[in-house]
């Protein structure tokens, strides 16, 4: 589902697939590796999730979509502490591990600044994952309620004190 947020001067999409595919022109490293398959970035990341994890395509797309929502939420709201559960974190890690794509995301959506990933060892159990899902909904995202509820109180251990971290 695509949701468009309108303002007096701009309109922005809330479609994770469109947002990820828009990164393609901003990828400058290892372009042969990224583009030699002829796949869109969305299809590439889904294929990598399917390669590395036991899941069906529908689940890979759900995880990736919510990971893109989370990443965009953390980029657009750097002063808001957000976190994901184990399941959505699989998609976040997929984006980070595909470093040319991650750099492209940072170039396009984070003003060229690298978005760090600096987790603590211990998971948080304070409901941050549920609060993050609610926050993303308030920002116009159509989140997958089931994916956010599954790990509701068992959240990724992201550090809210590292500058430009998620």
């Amino acid at each position: 589902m695509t949701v468009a947020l309108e303002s007096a001067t701009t309109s922005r999409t809330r479609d994770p697939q469109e947002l990820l595919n828009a990164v393609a022109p901003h990828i400058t490293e290892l372009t042969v590796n990224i583009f030699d398959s002829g796949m869109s970035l969305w299809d590439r990341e889904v294929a990598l999730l399917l390669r590395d994890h036991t899941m069906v395509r529908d689940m890979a797309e759900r995880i990736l979509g919510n990971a893109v929502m989370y990443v965009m939420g953390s980029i657009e709201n750097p002063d808001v502490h957000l976190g994901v559960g184990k399941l959505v974190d699989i998609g976040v890690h997929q984006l980070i591990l595909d470093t040319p794509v991650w750099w492209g995301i940072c170039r396009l959506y984070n003003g060229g600044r690298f978005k760090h990933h600096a987790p603590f060892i211990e998971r948080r159990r304070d409901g941050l994952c549920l609060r993050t899902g609610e926050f993303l909904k308030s920002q116009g995202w159509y989140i997958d309620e089931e994916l956010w509820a599954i790990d509701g109180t068992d959240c990724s251990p992201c550090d809210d004190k590292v500058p430009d971290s998620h």
Side-chain angles (χ1 to χ4, degrees):
M1 167 183 258
T2 301
V3 177
L5 297 180
E6 304 277 341
S7 73
T9 58
T10 63
S11 171
R12 63 181 177 163
T13 182
R14 296 281 85 178
D15 182 340
Q17 186 172 348
E18 287 180 23
L19 290 166
L20 184 56
N21 285 336
V23 171
H26 301 274
I27 296 174
T28 59
E29 298 86 15
L30 303 172
T31 55
V32 171
N33 296 29
I34 303 300
F35 300 118
D36 65 349
S37 69
M39 293 180 175
S40 68
L41 290 183
W42 177 265
D43 287 333
R44 172 186 166 77
E45 299 308 313
V46 167
L48 289 168
L49 283 170
L50 292 172
R51 180 195 73 186
D52 294 339
H53 302 279
T54 304
M55 63 179 77
V56 295
R57 183 176 178 95
D58 176 65
M59 181 57 79
E61 288 183 336
R62 290 171 62 194
I63 289 170
L64 182 60
N66 282 266
V68 170
M69 293 176 207
Y70 166 75
V71 166
M72 293 301 298
S74 70
I75 287 172
E76 293 170 353
N77 304 279
D79 295 332
V80 177
H81 187 52
L82 304 174
V84 295
K86 292 177 185 179
L87 198 52
V88 175
D89 209 23
I90 292 169
V92 174
H93 287 163
Q94 177 53 54
L95 294 169
I96 293 169
L97 289 173
D98 199 353
T99 59
V101 173
W102 186 246
W103 271 107
I105 290 169
C106 292
R107 279 188 194 102
L108 178 59
Y109 297 118
N110 201 36
R113 293 177 314 279
F114 187 75
K115 187 76 167 165
H116 293 280
H117 182 57
F120 290 119
I121 301 300
E122 296 297 319
R123 288 197 170 273
R124 299 169 57 119
R125 289 176 172 71
D126 62 358
L128 179 61
C129 184
L130 292 173
R131 291 191 306 276
T132 297
E134 290 302 312
F135 177 79
L136 293 175
K137 283 195 308 189
S138 79
Q139 298 296 297
W141 296 104
Y142 183 74
I143 68 163
D144 187 322
E145 301 271 352
E146 186 176 39
L147 293 184
W148 289 91
I150 240 168
D151 295 311
T153 59
D154 193 18
C155 186
S156 64
C158 294
D159 184 355
D160 65 340
K161 294 171 184 52
V162 175
D164 210 17
S165 174
H166 69 87

